[in-house]
Amino acid sequence: MILKNYHFKSYQKKLFFLILFLMGLFFTFIGLDFCFPFRTHIQYSTIVMAKDSSILEAYLSNDSKWRMKTELHEISPELRKTLIFKEDKYFYWHNGVNFLAIGKAFVGNIWYWKKNSGASTITMQVVRMLEKRKRTYFNKCIEIFRAFQLDFHYSKEEILQLYFNLIPYGGNVEGVKSAAWLFFQKTPAQLSLSQVVTLTLVPNRPNTWALGKKNQVLFEAKNHWLKKMSNQKYFPKEDIEAALKEKLPEKKQKPRVIAPQFCRRMKNLFPDQYLIYTYLDKQKQEKIQQLTSNFTERTKLYNIHQAAVLVINNQTKTIEAYIGSADFENKKDEGENDGVKAIRSPGSTLKPLIYALAIEKGLITPKTILADVPTDFGGYVPENFNKKFTGQVSVENALKTSLNIPAVKILQLISPQILIQKLIQLQYKQVKKEEKKLGLSMALGGLGTSLEELVNLYQIFANQGNFSPFMYLRNEKKSKNIAILKEESAYLISEILGNMQKNDNTQNALKIAWKTGTSLGRRDAWCIAYNPIYTVGVWIGNFSGEGANNLVGAEVATPLMKDIFKTLTYKQNNDWFEVPKSIKLRSICSQTGLLPNNFCDNKILDSYIPTISSIKKCEHLKEIWVDDAEKISFCNQCLPIKNAKKKLYANFSAEITSYLLEQNEKIVSIPPHNPGCMHITQTHERPLIISPSPHKEYLIEKNNEVELILSCRVSPTIQKVHWYINDKFYETTSPLKNIYFKPEIGMMKISCADEDGKKTEINIKVSQI
């Protein structure tokens, strides 16, 4: 009995000391862990991912490694099972160190007096990859301690993730994701069983089993391990048989880069993110890139070498395709430039916004008639693209045919500052920088903008006048809408631009709205198009800025735009925008687009916005008292008691009257006023020269034979005026008729004298650019 008690107390004492020892080890470990924390700061390669999580492009890490971060969901069951089978069968059972394996390896090494087998667990291998040390027994002890730390702080799945991120494949390739992409052009989750086994073998002997260099040796090693797995029934028999037959790639090659300018931009915008998940649609990107490249192969015959395309989903506000150039690898034509964000002249592409702003201010409706005649806007004398004028034109036709003079007139009416503020709201960076320098020339492209900014503008028409910047990343929060236009004006512009395809004779024409633009000197051709789903922007030109005769938006940018839209919408219907309830129809006079008067015979329907659109009545005819012979007109003060009657005369503006006279149109003029009228003064003011504008500088392009207008206003009794240039007689004409002259470089003196000898003189300066 005494002996039993002695043994029991001895057992208790040993247990007590064992517990003390283990507690001491534990607290020592905690202390050392606190003093020497294990840090896992890893520099990963930046990867730009498509909408389907496939890789668009990857970049070397800061330490010049191909080291891509493998996410947990990318580690397939086959990859996990293969690694554990080959490297560490008891991975899920130990705490980072397998002491049984260490003991076995130690005995074997002593027995054979050389390193016969390893005992490193997956956790210990991760430590070794994170902290490079020489192979010594002391360093092995440190490695064991670090393995405990790693297992203490990380889950088994996280340790596996670290292993797959750091495993070396020779050269500067690290991590299974990098190897999968470089060797097989796949993500880890897409690898076949044969490829999985191959990638778990190479790190053990990266020189002996170098993929693409010693394929036969690697193929035999792969099949050896597959047979071992087959013997243990580790994978289904049919999977093993397929893997045994699968060949290895002949060589390592970097996959083709998709959307290189977009990827480069994402890397620069988000430098701290290793995995950049975007909304770019890989399939659409590749199709549109191919369309663009094929298209520019044809335009090269006309000295047009580059193109850029941007596709936005209007419903999700995301980028689905981003073509920075026709061919990124074409260094001769500067293919590495990014045409989506390059600052260029937009040509006529801002006109829809100008007309929309005028519509919502009540200044115009779609069928309002505008004057398209030669006009001097205080020294700015624009021309139409075809150098011709139409006289009178409706708003919708002026916008469809992209006439310049009406657009500048409308911008003058609404004020350039209003347009500038709207463009700043739309985040036009160059406009913000140069807002004090901008003026009426903005209507025709006199400012700097980019394809991206133009697409931003047109997507507001597809979104009821609201703007929110499109999103680059999948985890981005959608920005709040900014109201740029009223829903009604956005819709009316869409209707005008959406009827462009009436001229398209092809069957099943797409229901889209679009506008083209051509910059001065034919350096840039644009076409921006949209429907309820997509907004597509196309730029055609040369990054060098060189112009070309065929570089016209309607001729080169529109065909590519249509091809792209067909690719995007081939499975979709032709749904269109809903008519806002506030838009109504009314009868108007076709001569002016205003509410009809009692003398208006030709009436048509026009859309309008109640309480906003003008309610002014038509005045295209004017009622005048004349004598029975219609030779003399009267005012109320000199109207005779008899032998007088009322007659309707055309009531054209002075500029339209002048244009019609130039075109030799017959105009029935109002007869001269009653010479016996006591209310007509015999004195009058000197002629007022309207064009050219006094004391203004006119800029003329070299080799451009531009002509300036001579125009004046005089007293109603004056029938003839005489024009002089630099004190030399030029021409005698009616004061209602405009005439033209070719300016000379330098200072010029312009004089106008009426038939009574009263004269006005002005000076202008003409410079060459």
Side-chain angles (χ1 to χ4, degrees), residues 589 591 597-601 618-627 630 633 644-652 667-671:
C589 175
Q591 298 292 315
N597 217 318
N598 54 10
F599 48 72
C600 295
D601 298 325
C618 175
E619 296 178 351
H620 81 278
L621 295 177
K622 187 176 182 180
E623 201 171 51
I624 302 294
W625 282 100
V626 296
D627 64 354
E630 300 178 6
S633 62
K645 63 181 181 180
K646 287 182 177 180
K647 184 177 179 180
L648 290 172
Y649 288 88
N651 186 27
F652 296 118
I667 299 177
V668 179
S669 301
I670 297 172

Side-chain angles (χ1 to χ4, degrees), residues 133 300 495 706:
R133 292 188 180 91
K300 284 178 182 178
E495 275 298 288
V706 68

Side-chain angles (χ1 to χ4, degrees), residues 486-501:
K486 289 184 170 64
E487 180 186 9
E488 297 85 354
S489 58
Y491 173 80
L492 291 175
I493 292 299
S494 295
E495 275 298 288
I496 294 171
L497 298 179
N499 286 323
M500 298 276 280
Q501 73 266 29

Side-chain angles (χ1 to χ4, degrees), residues 282-292 567 570:
K282 188 175 179 180
Q283 188 176 17
K284 290 173 184 173
Q285 174 74 22
E286 291 184 301
K287 284 183 179 179
I288 295 171
Q289 180 70 68
Q290 191 62 51
L291 279 174
T292 306
T567 298
Y570 74 102

Side-chain angles (χ1 to χ4, degrees), residues 689-700:
I689 297 176
I690 301 171
S691 177
S693 298
H695 312 300
K696 294 287 185 181
E697 182 179 9
Y698 287 79
L699 303 176
I700 298 174

Side-chain angles (χ1 to χ4, degrees), residues 701-762:
E701 281 189 313
K702 189 177 182 181
N703 301 324
N704 187 359
E705 295 185 0
V706 68
E707 292 185 330
L708 296 183
I709 307 166
L710 292 175
S711 177
C712 68
R713 287 180 185 167
V714 295
S715 171
T717 59
I718 299 299
Q719 302 295 315
K720 298 288 182 183
V721 292
H722 312 285
W723 289 96
Y724 299 83
I725 298 176
N726 291 333
D727 293 326
K728 292 183 180 179
F729 174 73
Y730 185 69
E731 190 173 330
T732 297
T733 184
S734 164
L736 295 175
K737 185 176 181 180
N738 292 339
I739 59 174
Y740 301 85
F741 74 99
K742 291 183 180 179
E744 298 174 357
I745 303 302
M747 296 299 299
M748 296 192 71
K749 180 181 177 182
I750 310 295
S751 308
C752 181
D754 64 24
E755 55 197 11
D756 290 339
K758 294 191 175 182
K759 188 176 182 180
T760 301
E761 297 177 348
I762 65 166

Side-chain angles (χ1 to χ4, degrees), residues 18-31:
L18 178 62
I19 292 171
L20 279 179
F21 176 73
L22 292 176
M23 288 179 64
L25 281 178
F26 177 74
F27 285 112
T28 301
F29 171 77
I30 295 297

